[in-house]
């Protein structure tokens, strides 16, 4: 039960072949429309219009693509025995053809469709591999503007012309109308490159103590609202394991640092970079120091969290990590989840309800659990829609950010690691303690809060050390030795 509003595909087993084929067709119908719906955060527009840029053309192309994908699912598997090897092969081929059509649609319609395609390509834990593999190309090889278009914008904006930007609204009648309100709020900021430059400098200063983070420098003297000149920094995509292996970069270190960076943004500072798809997060090994760097790009979309929301979110995550279900219910309700708090917990953690009850830091992600999440995702679409209409607007971009970060962890095969939860725990403890100290006028009370904070952080450090020793050769040797001693007849 996971999605952040992006549960697009259901692979639901059924004894009835016709029901399965019909189900696939229904999912195909939902795929493009839901993708467009979720892209309300990313509506873009351009001065350079051609016939393909008009709304009617784009909508018509999306409808035609949806119809072709639906027809393919309805007909390709109709006469094949369900569960057979031929059925599995043909289903994979239909997935691949549909993914390629969706990719071509994104490239043709550009703008918001590119953003949605990038998001879908990162959802390895949720969508069939044929879709994510095909759509990953949009992270680094999306359609580019021509040099003529770039030169024209530079001439105009570095001169004295100021042009009005027109925003086209795509699919205005879709069900998730609350996304439009978010788009209206975020769009002017995303289209203002000066705002993006300010965000980049703010997050670089905010996380200056993280020596693994690199934010490209902004050249203000050559930047305007539509032109942003920044330092060029080269690296591989954060989900590219092969690149990391070739460059001797530890994937676990990257995953751990990425979680540390986002935990600091969300829980401590309340200023969150909300577009961490793999095309916007690069990694490299620094030639001078040999350390692995994370390079954070595209700072147009940030979410600023209110203090009340941030603290409730901190306490919710603390409750999830401790498997304190009473507090999970309490803080989920305070964040607008109501009676749907079990679904809300599953959406936040990308874990099953059973795993949430056992403790998400104690039970590693298994292949069976991933299958369960994929199987049940679209079945809860009406409830997800209801939930997303009820939660605070600040939550929407956080859910999207969670989706993308879980997708990166899935690609790096680090979702089973407990390090991300430990880093989150540290940040939550620090955030809540800082707030409590700010509200206390007693020196004794402040000292007590600081002591409890230090004790809690020390316990987490000790537990992390235990986990590292347990996973090391020395730890395995000690465990094996103690086991032999325990079973020794003497």
């Amino acid at each position: 039960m996971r999605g952040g509003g992006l549960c697009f595909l259901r692979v639901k087993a059924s004894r009835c072949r016709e029901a399965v084929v019909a189900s696939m067709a229904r999912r195909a119908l939902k795929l493009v429309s839901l993708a467009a719906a979720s892209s309300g955060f990313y509506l873009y527009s351009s001065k350079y219009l051609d016939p393909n840029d008009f709304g009617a053309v784009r909508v018509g192309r999306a409808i035609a693509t949806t119809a072709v994908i639906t027809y393919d699912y309805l007909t390709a598997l109709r006469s094949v025995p369900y569960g057979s090897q031929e059925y599995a092969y043909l289903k994979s081929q239909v997935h691949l053809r549909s993914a390629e059509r969706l990719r071509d649609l994104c490239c043709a319609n550009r703008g918001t469709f590119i953003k949605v395609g990038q998001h879908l390509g990162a959802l390895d834990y949720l969508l069939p591999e044929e879709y994510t593999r095909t759509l990953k190309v949009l992270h680094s090889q999306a359609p580019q503007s021509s040099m003529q278009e770039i030169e024209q914008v530079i001439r105009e904006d570095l001169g004295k012309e100021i042009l009005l930007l027109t925003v086209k609204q795509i699919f205005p009648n879709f069900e998730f109308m609350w996304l439009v309100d978010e788009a209206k709020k975020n769009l002017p900021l995303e289209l203002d490159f000066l705002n993006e430059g300010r965000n980049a400098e703010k997050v670089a200063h905010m996380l200056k103590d993280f020596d693994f983070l690199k934010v490209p420098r902004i050249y203000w003297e050559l930047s305007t609202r539509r032109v942003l000149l920044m330092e060029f920094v080269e690296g591989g995509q954060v989900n590219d394991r092969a690149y990391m292996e070739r460059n001797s970069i530890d994937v676990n270190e990257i995953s751990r640092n990425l979680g540390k960076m986002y935990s600091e943004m969300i829980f401590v500072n309340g200023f969150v970079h909300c577009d961490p798809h793999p095309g916007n997060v690069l990694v490299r090994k620094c030639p001078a120091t040999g350390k692995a760097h994370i390079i954070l790009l595209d700072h147009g979309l940030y979410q600023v969290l209110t203090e009340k929301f941030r603290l409730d979110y901190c306490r919710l995550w603390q409750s999830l990590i401790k498997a304190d279900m009473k507090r999970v219910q309490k803080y989920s309700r305070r964040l607008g989840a109501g009676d749907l708090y079990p679904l809300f917990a599953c959406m936040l953690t990308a874990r099953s309800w059973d795993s949430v009850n056992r403790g998400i830091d104690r039970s590693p992600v298994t292949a069976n659990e991933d299958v369960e999440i994929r199987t049940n995702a679209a079945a809860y679409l009406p409830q997800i829609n209801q939930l997303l209409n009820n939660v605070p607007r600040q939550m929407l971009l956080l859910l999207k950010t969670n989706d993308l970060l879980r997708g990166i962890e899935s690609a790096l095969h680090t979702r089973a690691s407990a390090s991300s939860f430990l880093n989150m725990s540290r940040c939550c403890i620090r955030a809540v303690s800082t707030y409590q100290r700010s509200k206390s006028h007693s020196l004794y009370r402040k000292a007590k809060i600081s002591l409890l904070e230090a004790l809690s952080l020390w316990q987490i450090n000790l537990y992390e050390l235990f986990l590292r020793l347990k996973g090391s050769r020395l730890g395995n040797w000690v465990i094996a030795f103690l086991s032999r001693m325990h079973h020794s007849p003497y």
Side-chain angles (χ1 to χ4, degrees):
M1 286 185 282
R2 167 69 167 167
L6 287 167
C7 298
F8 297 99
L9 219 59
R10 177 171 30 162
V11 185
K12 186 175 182 180
S14 173
R15 295 180 181 177
C16 176
R17 183 178 69 248
E18 290 78 8
V20 172
V21 174
S23 176
M24 286 184 176
R26 287 194 299 271
R27 292 197 304 273
L29 277 168
K30 290 176 181 177
L31 185 58
V32 174
S33 59
L34 285 176
S38 67
S39 66
F41 298 123
Y42 319 113
L43 290 175
Y44 279 82
S45 64
S46 171
K47 170 181 177 289
Y48 304 98
L49 294 178
D50 59 36
N52 287 331
D53 288 321
F54 289 104
V57 175
R58 290 153 65 93
V59 171
R61 187 184 289 123
I63 292 173
T65 301
T66 305
V68 172
I69 291 174
T70 303
Y71 181 78
D72 199 0
Y73 274 107
L74 281 171
T75 58
L77 304 172
R78 181 177 295 167
S79 60
V80 184
Y82 175 74
S84 65
Q85 289 186 350
E86 183 182 5
Y87 182 91
Y89 172 77
L90 288 177
K91 183 176 71 172
S92 177
Q93 292 301 303
V94 175
H95 283 337
L96 181 58
R97 290 195 299 270
S98 301
E100 289 172 345
R101 289 167 180 143
L102 187 60
R103 178 201 60 201
D104 294 343
L105 171 66
C106 292
C107 291
N109 278 3
R110 300 190 295 181
T112 182
F113 286 82
I114 292 290
K115 303 296 288 185
V116 173
Q118 290 171 340
H119 192 164
L120 294 176
L123 299 181
D124 300 80
Y125 65 90
L126 183 61
L127 299 181
E129 189 264 346
E130 294 87 352
Y131 278 88
T132 56
R133 185 181 69 239
T134 303
L135 294 173
K136 273 182 170 64
V137 69
L138 299 175
H139 291 149
S140 56
Q141 300 178 37
Q144 302 176 0
S145 300
S146 68
M147 199 63 195
Q148 181 181 2
E149 292 172 337
I150 295 172
E151 290 173 353
Q152 176 70 13
V153 173
I154 291 174
R155 279 196 301 270
E156 292 172 352
D157 273 39
L158 293 184
K160 295 185 178 180
E161 290 188 48
I162 300 176
L163 301 174
L164 296 176
L165 299 176
T166 303
V167 178
K168 298 188 298 294
Q169 188 173 328
I170 300 172
F171 296 117
N173 296 319
F174 59 72
E175 186 176 355
F176 300 95
M177 289 306 297
W178 43 265
L179 287 171
V180 176
D181 296 331
E182 287 300 297
K184 289 177 180 177
K185 181 180 71 176
N186 293 319
L187 182 62
L189 298 176
E190 286 198 76
L191 293 177
D192 184 351
F193 284 171
L194 293 179
N195 178 70
E196 179 173 344
R198 289 190 291 268
N199 286 344
E201 290 193 340
K202 179 175 180 177
V203 79
H205 177 73
M206 190 175 77
L207 304 180
K208 63 181 183 298
D209 293 335
F210 290 165
D211 59 359
F212 59 81
L213 174 62
K214 173 68 177 175
V215 177
R217 175 189 170 193
I218 307 298
Y219 295 92
W220 289 109
E221 65 275 12
L222 295 173
S223 298
T224 73
R225 289 188 63 205
R226 294 201 306 160
V227 178
L228 187 65
L229 187 64
M230 67 182 71
E231 173 188 7
F232 175 75
V233 185
E234 194 171 10
Q237 289 186 183
V238 71
N239 62 342
D240 190 344
R241 282 180 60 92
Y243 172 87
M244 296 189 202
E245 290 172 1
R246 289 195 305 270
N247 291 274
S248 301
I249 297 174
D250 184 353
V251 295
N252 290 299
E253 179 186 0
I254 292 296
S255 184
R256 185 165 56 248
N257 286 341
L258 190 64
K260 186 184 299 184
M261 182 173 75
Y262 268 88
S263 293
E264 191 80 12
M265 288 187 204
I266 294 170
F267 300 112
V268 178
N269 295 286
F271 185 70
V272 190
H273 178 281
C274 286
D275 202 11
H277 72 69
N280 288 340
V281 186
L282 307 182
V283 295
R284 70 166 184 179
K285 176 158 281 192
C286 180
T289 64
K291 291 184 177 180
H293 283 175
I294 294 176
I295 305 160
L296 193 60
L297 307 175
D298 194 349
H299 299 270
L301 184 60
Y302 272 75
Q303 178 69 70
V304 179
L305 308 180
T306 65
E307 184 176 70
K308 180 181 182 303
F309 176 92
R310 179 172 59 86
L311 291 170
D312 283 343
Y313 196 57
C314 281
R315 291 178 172 119
L316 173 58
W317 268 106
Q318 286 180 305
S319 305
L320 287 167
I321 292 169
K322 295 177 181 178
D324 185 341
M325 303 317 297
K326 287 186 178 180
R327 287 170 64 86
V328 166
Q329 180 177 353
K330 174 184 175 180
Y331 289 108
S332 294
R333 289 183 181 277
R334 286 181 64 163
L335 289 169
D339 292 336
L340 294 174
Y341 70 90
L343 176 61
F344 186 52
C346 294
M347 288 170 62
L348 285 176
T349 60
R351 302 296 301 272
S352 68
W353 182 239
D354 287 341
S355 295
V356 172
N357 275 277
R358 290 196 303 269
I360 52 179
D361 64 331
R362 301 182 185 93
S363 52
V365 182
T366 64
N368 288 337
E369 186 177 1
D370 272 341
V371 171
E372 180 185 347
I373 292 169
R374 289 173 183 262
T375 300
N376 292 330
Y380 291 90
L381 208 54
Q383 292 89 341
I384 290 172
N385 182 27
Q386 178 185 345
L387 184 60
L388 295 179
N389 272 289
N390 294 338
V391 296
R393 303 300 87 184
Q394 300 169 80
M395 181 63 69
L396 301 178
L397 285 178
L398 287 189
L399 288 169
K400 169 186 173 280
T401 303
N402 280 347
D403 269 347
L404 293 173
L405 293 175
R406 299 294 91 74
I408 291 170
E409 290 177 352
S410 179
L412 297 180
H413 303 159
T414 57
R415 286 190 68 207
S417 172
S419 62
S420 61
F421 297 121
L422 295 177
N423 285 323
M424 290 172 69
S425 295
R426 290 188 181 97
C427 287
C428 289
I429 289 168
R430 288 168 48 212
V432 172
S433 298
T434 299
Y435 171 76
Q436 290 174 338
R437 277 193 297 268
S438 71
K439 296 299 180 182
S440 176
H441 302 291
S442 165
L443 290 178
Y444 170 76
R445 174 63 179 160
K446 288 182 178 180
K448 183 178 179 181
I449 292 169
S450 297
L451 180 61
L452 291 174
E453 177 187 9
L455 181 61
S456 298
L457 293 175
W458 180 80
Q459 289 175 330
I460 293 175
N461 292 338
L462 190 63
Y463 181 58
E464 186 174 37
L465 177 62
F466 166 75
L467 292 178
R468 290 186 179 182
L469 287 174
K470 184 179 177 181
S472 67
R473 289 184 179 180
L474 175 62
N476 290 331
W477 182 85
V478 170
I479 291 173
F481 175 77
L482 292 176
S483 179
R484 286 197 299 269
M485 290 293 293
H486 177 71
H487 293 95
S488 171
Y490 304 103

